[in-house]
Amino acid sequence: MAANIRDVARLAGVSPSTVSRALSLPGMVNATTRARVAAAVEQLGYEPNRAARGLITGRTGTIGLVVPDLANPFFASLTKGVQARARHHDVAVFVADTDEDPAAEAGLVRALSKQVDGVVLCSPRASDEELAAIAQDTTVVLVNRTAVGLPGVAYDNEDGMRQAVAHLVALGHRRIAWVGGPATSWSTQHRGFGLRNAVEALRAELAPVGNFAPTYEGGMAAADQVVATGATAVVAYNDLVAIGLLARLHSRGISVPGDLSVVGVDDIAMSRMARPALTTVRLPKQEAGRIAVELLLAMLDDPESAAEGSKHGELHGELIVRDSTGPAPQK
């Protein structure tokens, strides 16, 4: 039979309530008693919860996950990847949402650092210097971002933009609009850079529209400016923005793809349900979450590798062609 709390108490020579306090509130039990309880727990193989294991290993058995916006299906999918991989390792996940507020990132990570072994930080808006300061409080792995000295997993945004532009140019488009996301977003900067390089290499023309919220409403707000550029195609920062563009263009009687082709990024589930179905660059979201957890746990097992900050992974996107892109209109 599996050992219970009374068996632990008997072996440690304390009361069951003392065992409970030692496991859940170790600060309320003196070090000698804690050591006796820990020895009894280990000898009996008693595992009531993560607190017991933490008493022995010094680990909480939990990690933190900080995302900009859980309402965005991109981050919801990534979260599922993190949780699935953490569950595989019997690790719990505390999730925090910054609500797209860069100022909240550092505070949330520092708050979580008191309760978790490390943090997966997704698409942070903070500068490299701010991220380095955050990493002083706990082990941090980045997702969808690179920063000097910090490990993480990112997407090859430049290759994704190259695929999108090559597709549009092959359809005869020569003037392509770009709707960027938040100005402080690493993805905005790298996607914009990749887009400019691809447009130049394929001898097309880029019409940047500006930076907008990475939401459906952001796409709605950008649509009229996109039309004003005279472009025959537009690449949006993400699928939510692209779907907002589709809605506003429809309300104006502008045909997609007859008058204007639209490309998104992410391949969230809604992109397949949009009308017309959205052409997009598919990013492996759950895979990024799984890799981030494996990287974080490996760093926790080997603290020296965390100090090196040299582990990085890069994932590639894939252009998924649907109904929102077509031949350039003849003008």
Side-chain angles (χ1 to χ4, degrees):
M1 294 179 62
N4 58 42
I5 195 169
R6 293 184 183 278
D7 298 325
V8 175
R10 191 178 302 113
L11 183 59
V14 299
S15 69
S17 61
T18 298
V19 173
S20 179
R21 283 196 299 275
L23 298 180
S24 59
L25 298 168
M28 297 182 64
V29 180
N30 68 57
T32 301
T33 301
R34 286 202 311 271
R36 292 211 310 272
V37 171
V41 165
E42 185 171 20
Q43 182 176 332
L44 295 171
Y46 177 59
E47 293 187 288
N49 52 38
R50 291 180 177 83
R53 294 196 297 275
L55 188 67
I56 299 166
T57 65
R59 300 257 287 268
T60 67
T62 60
I63 61 174
L65 171 64
V66 178
V67 300
D69 183 11
L70 271 174
N72 184 331
F74 173 87
F75 295 112
S77 292
L78 196 147
T79 297
K80 287 181 70 68
V82 168
Q83 290 181 323
R85 203 61 191 164
R87 192 180 304 116
H88 174 79
H89 290 284
D90 196 24
V91 170
V93 182
F94 292 164
V95 182
D97 184 337
T98 69
D99 199 26
E100 290 287 355
D101 180 5
E105 287 175 349
L108 281 173
V109 173
R110 291 191 174 103
L112 282 172
S113 69
K114 299 178 176 63
Q115 309 170 61
V116 302
D117 298 317
V119 174
V120 175
L121 184 54
C122 297
S123 302
R125 311 294 193 225
S127 66
D128 284 11
E129 293 75 16
E130 291 168 328
L131 290 174
I134 289 172
Q136 296 300 310
D137 296 311
T138 189
T139 303
V140 172
V141 167
L142 304 179
V143 176
N144 197 28
R145 171 70 185 272
T146 61
V148 176
L150 290 180
V153 54
Y155 296 107
D156 186 348
N157 286 295
E158 293 180 36
D159 180 65
M161 293 298 97
R162 181 196 59 76
Q163 293 180 51
V165 172
H167 169 65
L168 293 172
V169 170
L171 290 171
H173 297 280
R174 292 296 179 267
R175 183 168 173 78
I176 301 169
W178 160 236
V179 178
T184 56
S185 163
W186 179 87
S187 292
T188 292
Q189 296 164 11
H190 283 255
R191 289 172 191 171
F193 180 75
L195 199 63
R196 284 190 293 272
N197 284 347
V199 165
E200 181 178 346
L202 294 171
R203 299 181 180 179
E205 183 181 358
L206 185 65
V209 173
N211 300 103
F212 294 83
T215 61
Y216 175 90
E217 291 77 14
M220 292 275 286
D224 292 339
Q225 295 182 48
V226 169
V227 174
T229 66
T232 60
V234 55
V235 177
Y237 168 76
N238 67 13
D239 285 354
L240 286 179
V241 172
I243 293 169
L245 284 168
L246 291 178
R248 176 59 181 162
L249 293 171
H250 176 75
S251 71
R252 286 193 53 178
I254 295 172
S255 171
V256 175
D259 299 320
L260 184 66
S261 286
V262 179
V263 178
V265 179
D266 289 344
D267 192 32
I268 60 176
M270 283 186 287
S271 66
R272 297 186 292 277
M273 297 179 277
R275 290 296 177 266
L278 183 66
T279 293
T280 184
V281 178
R282 174 182 292 163
L283 298 180
K285 300 168 281 297
Q286 293 196 30
E287 184 179 354
R290 291 192 293 267
I291 291 173
V293 171
E294 293 290 355
L295 180 53
L296 180 60
L297 295 180
M299 292 169 60
L300 292 171
D301 289 338
D302 182 7
E304 289 186 4
S305 70
E308 293 171 7
S310 59
K311 295 183 177 179
H312 295 87
E314 187 173 65
L315 298 174
H316 295 273
E318 176 189 5
L319 181 71
I320 305 299
V321 178
R322 298 196 179 101
D323 300 332
S324 68
T325 51
Q330 299 299 315
K331 294 186 177 180

